Every structure is written in structure tokens, then in C-alpha cells.
Amino acid sequence: MTEAVAVHDQDEAARLQGRCLCGGVVLSVPAGTREVHACHCGACRRFHGSPAMLLPVATSLRIEAGASLVRRFASSDWAERAFCATCGSSLFFATTDDGHHYIAAGLFDAIPDAHFALEIFIDAKPDWYSLADPDERLTGEAFFARIGAG
């Protein structure tokens, strides 16, 4: 085996794979992905049917299978959302200026050593639920300031 093939095989082994409900779209992210973020904005709650539980992976998302099934919707002037054309599963949202991806955590059977790192749009969260013990909470304004959007 050549060195280039060995490095590629190690890289493939070091990724987590997730899939949509029908299995037509398979995504992968680096195995070291551990942070889970929750978003309470209205768009996320409508897209996911609840607060969105997301894995921030910057630009390291790979669509391993089913790229032709991925549909994108420009949900704002700063982000787009993607879903499976067959089963409708929420896949991710991506910021349009830098292409950073936030993957739906529910697509993965397991996320080893995951922890609840960030809760955003806390000011848009309905009163009828609450999430426990994130490392940090941000309002929508503070989130936009952090990512330079809005």
C-alpha cells in the first residue's frame, strides 16, 4: 500500500457517518467532532420541528452518498438549509458567506464524547421547554456578532 493510500484510509476511518431517514443521503464529519449546539431561532424550530441540535463542522462536511438528493433552501440572506428530497430529513444549514456547516446531530447514531457546548437564540426560545447545562448561552444578537452576520 502506498503512503498516500494509507493516509486516505486513516482519514476515512477517522470520520463519523450519519444518514437521513431513508438512507439515501450519507454525510460524514471528522471523528473529533464533539460539540453540540442548540438553536432556538424560529427558522430552526420550523425546519427541525423543535430546537435544532447541531454539530458545527466548519467546512469539513462530506456528502458521501446521495448528493443528487440534497436540496437547498435559502432561508435567510446569510444561511441556507439542506434536506433530503426523498424523505425530507433536515440535513444541515450553511452560512452563505463562509460556507460553514452545522449538521443535524440526529443524523448520527452515536457521537462519542459529545457535550452540549452552546445554546443560541436563547431570547427566541419558547417558555414551554428548557435545555440543561450548556457551556454557553447567546442571544440572537450576540450570535450574529460572533459570526459577523445579521
Side-chain angles (χ1 to χ4, degrees), residues 50-101:
S50 65
M53 303 303 285
L54 304 163
L55 300 174
V57 297
T59 59
S60 62
L61 167 70
R62 286 190 199 159
I63 299 174
E64 304 288 353
S68 66
L69 297 175
V70 176
R71 298 294 182 269
R72 295 169 189 262
F73 170 71
S75 56
S76 69
D77 48 345
W78 63 273
E80 66 179 11
R81 295 171 192 279
F83 60 94
C84 173
T86 300
C87 65
S89 292
S90 303
L91 301 172
F92 58 83
F93 86 84
T95 52
T96 53
D97 63 336
D98 61 8
H100 282 205
H101 290 83

Side-chain angles (χ1 to χ4, degrees), residues 89-135:
S89 292
S90 303
L91 301 172
F92 58 83
F93 86 84
T95 52
T96 53
D97 63 336
D98 61 8
H100 282 205
H101 290 83
Y102 300 82
I103 314 305
L107 300 175
F108 300 87
D109 291 334
I111 305 167
D113 302 316
H115 77 279
F116 187 17
L118 180 63
E119 196 171 357
I120 62 172
F121 285 89
I122 194 69
D123 51 329
K125 183 187 79 56
D127 293 339
W128 49 267
Y129 69 82
S130 79
L131 302 176
D133 303 324
D135 294 343

Side-chain angles (χ1 to χ4, degrees), residues 19-36:
R19 66 185 184 291
C20 66
L21 184 60
C22 71
V25 177
V26 178
L27 307 173
S28 74
V29 300
T33 304
R34 292 185 178 88
E35 283 194 7
V36 177

